[in-house]
Amino acid sequence: MSRSAYIRLGGGIDLVTPPEQLPPGAALYCVNYECPVTGGYRRIDGYTQQGPVVPGEGPLLGVVTFNDAIYAVRKDAGADTATLYRFDTATNAWDVVGTAGALHNGRHEFVEGNLYATELGRALYGVGGGKPFELKTDGTFTSLTAAMAGAKYIALHSEHLMLGFPAGSLQHSGIGDPAVWDASTGGAGEIGVGQTLTGLVPGTGGVLHILCHDSIKTLYGTSGADFQLKTTVPNSGARPYSGQSLMQPYFIAERGITSLDAVQQFGDFRPMQPGRKVETLFTEDGLTNRVVASAISKSKAQYRVWFDNGTGIYMSPAGITTIRYPAQVAVAHTGELSTGEEQLLIGDDQGYVYRLGNGASSFNGAPIPAFLTLAYTDLKQPSVRKRFRRAFWDIRSGTDAEISLQADYDYGRTETGKPRREFIDFMLGGGLWDVARWGEFNWSVPTLGQEPVNVAGTGTSINFTLHSNSVSAPHELLGYDLHFDVRRQRRG
């Protein structure tokens, strides 16, 4: 008797649940797909190069968006100093900001804000192991020479500029004045955290989380008169450059991606492990100590982290996937343009700056390879053999990518025959009249493709592996309608 079952896709990679217990829409293996909050799997956007290579040598030491411009820091050639550059779109060149060689030759972190209570006071602050600096919207560059050198982490908290020193010192400027660092006269001060400091991340409720190597601490209060430091997580810490704030703080701890969830009692926090499903990537593959950069995408509700082996992880509330770029990420930053548009930047180990997304259909001209292996489904009948016939795939988004699809049966048993590999060719992008943007959809094409694929074969369970490698707009896989006939019970 012919039957059908619809399998909704989503959930991301799950490496800890036994294969026979996985939901059929989950992924066993996934590269260069992401999990949209609306469900399904979407091939990731690419990136485009921003200007020529940044002058200097070595990897980029920092990249940031400020006042609708792109800034980058790179080591000076033949010197133990670094320079801040601004990308001039009119001349397609990198211009020196301030004085060449004025920065410390170290990894730089940035924070944007206003400590002066007027719009003209908006500024960018940065630090990279030397003296911190301030860059105003009018282009004025000031080295904050009164501050102590050596900080690697930076944040704004309760009208103070906060500097984090790896040795375990947290120092703050005077209230409303980032140039004042005299504790005896200007309200500045120092707080010892007692451990190696690895990051500063703002938290909900006006607190500042101090990430340490073996613990997480939280700073409460608004000034040196009432600052109070509490230990939030006593026996688990964060890796450098992994901390980000996306409604709540996220970071990489010993066992993978961890977050701090605010609790109602006493305004405290508790640790959670949203990355539990991919814990083995960190504990067995050693990614815990290979973090090089992290960022967030507010528009996609994603926490992103990159490692020194060319891979990375995208995590959203809908699931976790892995990514792989041709470029080795060295630094990353999420900024916002005056239009409200999000701008995600990465800098690589060769001195180039790239913008992620923004309609990029390739890796700066190179095709985007994407792989997805779905979990097996036995259609809730693990002992019944089925004769699988065809699957109708629901695919959304305008693209001309060719997707190859391979079915497999019985959890990969070699004695079970496999059908030949099939290809899905489609062109989507139909829009709704008076809803879609003019020029961004195609005439006489559907908004959702339902592509039939021959999956003829017999087994108790079935799964699919999909692959594409193209320069094209992203496609979105939502689910498939599986047609099959029920056969006999499995025999011993």
Side-chain angles (χ1 to χ4, degrees):
M1 181 176 65
S2 295
R3 299 182 182 180
S4 67
Y6 189 79
I7 307 299
R8 288 180 172 82
L9 303 185
I13 302 174
D14 190 334
L15 303 178
V16 298
T17 303
E20 68 276 6
Q21 298 179 21
L22 280 174
L28 299 173
Y29 179 73
C30 185
V31 177
N32 290 342
Y33 279 96
E34 61 188 3
C35 293
V37 293
T38 53
Y41 295 97
R42 180 182 184 273
R43 200 216 66 195
I44 64 170
D45 297 300
Y47 54 68
T48 52
Q49 185 176 317
Q50 306 296 295
V53 64
V54 179
E57 63 182 15
L60 283 184
L61 301 176
V63 64
V64 65
T65 296
F66 175 64
N67 201 30
D68 285 354
I70 297 175
Y71 293 83
V73 179
R74 197 178 188 198
K75 178 184 180 296
D76 299 317
D80 193 25
T81 57
T83 299
L84 177 67
Y85 297 91
R86 177 184 183 275
F87 179 52
D88 188 334
T89 56
T91 61
N92 193 40
W94 293 95
D95 298 332
V96 173
V97 178
T99 303
L103 301 185
H104 183 76
N105 177 23
R107 170 71 174 268
H108 276 65
E109 294 286 286
F110 305 93
V111 63
E112 178 185 341
N114 192 339
L115 295 176
Y116 299 101
T118 64
E119 175 60 24
L120 295 177
R122 189 166 65 92
L124 176 73
Y125 299 93
V127 72
K131 298 282 187 178
F133 67 83
E134 176 188 73
L135 179 64
K136 294 286 192 64
T137 55
D138 63 3
T140 303
F141 177 90
T142 304
S143 178
L144 304 177
T145 56
M148 182 179 293
K152 288 190 175 182
Y153 310 103
I154 192 167
L156 294 178
H157 175 65
S158 297
E159 308 303 321
H160 298 80
L161 181 63
M162 315 293 291
L163 298 178
F165 296 78
S169 171
L170 177 67
Q171 298 183 15
H172 62 85
S173 71
I175 298 177
D177 195 342
V180 174
W181 295 87
D182 189 338
S184 62
T185 61
E190 180 181 17
I191 301 172
V193 300
Q195 287 189 1
T196 301
L197 198 151
T198 59
L200 302 174
V201 179
T204 57
V207 303
L208 180 68
H209 297 292
I210 296 90
L211 310 182
C212 301
H213 187 269
D214 295 311
S215 69
I216 308 297
K217 300 176 185 290
T218 302
L219 182 66
Y220 297 84
T222 58
S223 71
D226 64 354
F227 277 150
Q228 184 179 11
L229 188 67
K230 292 184 178 181
T231 299
T232 303
V233 184
N235 53 8
S236 179
R239 296 304 177 260
Y241 309 114
S242 69
Q244 296 292 330
S245 182
L246 182 64
M247 300 299 290
Q248 56 185 333
Y250 290 89
F251 52 89
I252 302 299
E254 289 85 349
R255 305 188 70 82
I257 303 174
T258 305
S259 67
L260 292 179
D261 185 40
V263 298
Q264 298 298 320
Q265 294 82 5
F266 312 110
D268 289 334
F269 299 82
R270 62 183 175 188
M272 301 182 68
Q273 195 179 8
R276 182 189 62 84
K277 292 182 178 180
V278 295
E279 181 179 310
T280 55
L281 293 178
F282 296 89
T283 58
E284 296 180 12
D285 294 352
L287 293 183
T288 297
N289 297 313
R290 306 188 73 170
V291 177
V292 293
S294 61
I296 60 170
S297 172
K298 294 180 181 179
S299 62
K300 294 186 176 183
Q302 285 180 351
Y303 168 72
R304 301 179 177 185
V305 59
W306 293 271
F307 308 99
D308 65 4
N309 62 352
T311 67
I313 286 176
Y314 285 7
M315 184 186 75
S316 76
I320 301 173
T321 59
T322 61
I323 58 96
R324 181 180 290 276
Y325 295 166
Q328 173 59 60
V329 175
V331 292
H333 189 268
T334 302
E336 189 174 285
L337 303 176
S338 58
T339 59
E341 182 183 2
E342 186 176 68
Q343 180 164 263
L344 281 76
L345 301 174
I346 58 171
D348 73 359
D349 60 350
Q350 301 300 310
Y352 290 96
V353 176
Y354 301 96
R355 181 178 181 183
L356 299 177
N358 195 36
S361 58
S362 68
F363 286 141
N364 198 45
I368 300 177
F371 303 87
L372 175 64
T373 300
L374 298 171
Y376 287 87
T377 177
D378 56 26
L379 304 169
K380 299 182 179 180
Q381 300 178 87
S383 296
V384 177
R385 291 173 59 81
K386 301 99 178 170
R387 173 65 177 175
F388 300 104
R389 298 195 176 277
R390 64 186 59 85
F392 293 85
W393 287 82
D394 287 346
I395 305 175
R396 185 169 62 189
S397 295
T399 181
D400 56 357
E402 180 182 72
I403 303 174
S404 68
L405 182 147
Q406 177 69 62
D408 190 25
Y409 310 108
D410 291 340
Y411 298 98
R413 292 177 61 182
T414 56
E415 61 266 31
T416 302
K418 296 182 181 180
R420 67 179 184 180
R421 184 172 56 169
E422 298 286 340
F423 293 89
I424 305 175
D425 292 295
F426 60 96
M427 170 64 77
L428 295 178
L432 300 178
W433 188 266
D434 260 355
V435 175
R437 292 184 179 182
W438 192 263
E440 295 185 5
F441 64 92
N442 298 311
W443 289 99
S444 302
V445 295
T447 57
L448 179 69
Q450 294 181 309
E451 305 298 321
V453 174
N454 177 27
V455 296
T458 301
T460 58
S461 61
I462 186 173
N463 86 328
F464 297 95
T465 296
L466 299 99
H467 169 255
S468 66
N469 186 33
S470 63
V471 176
S472 62
H475 56 269
E476 200 168 347
L477 305 168
L478 302 178
Y480 60 90
D481 186 20
L482 183 63
H483 290 203
F484 63 97
D485 298 333
V486 176
R487 304 292 293 274
R488 60 174 174 79
Q489 292 279 335
R490 182 175 56 187
R491 296 171 182 167

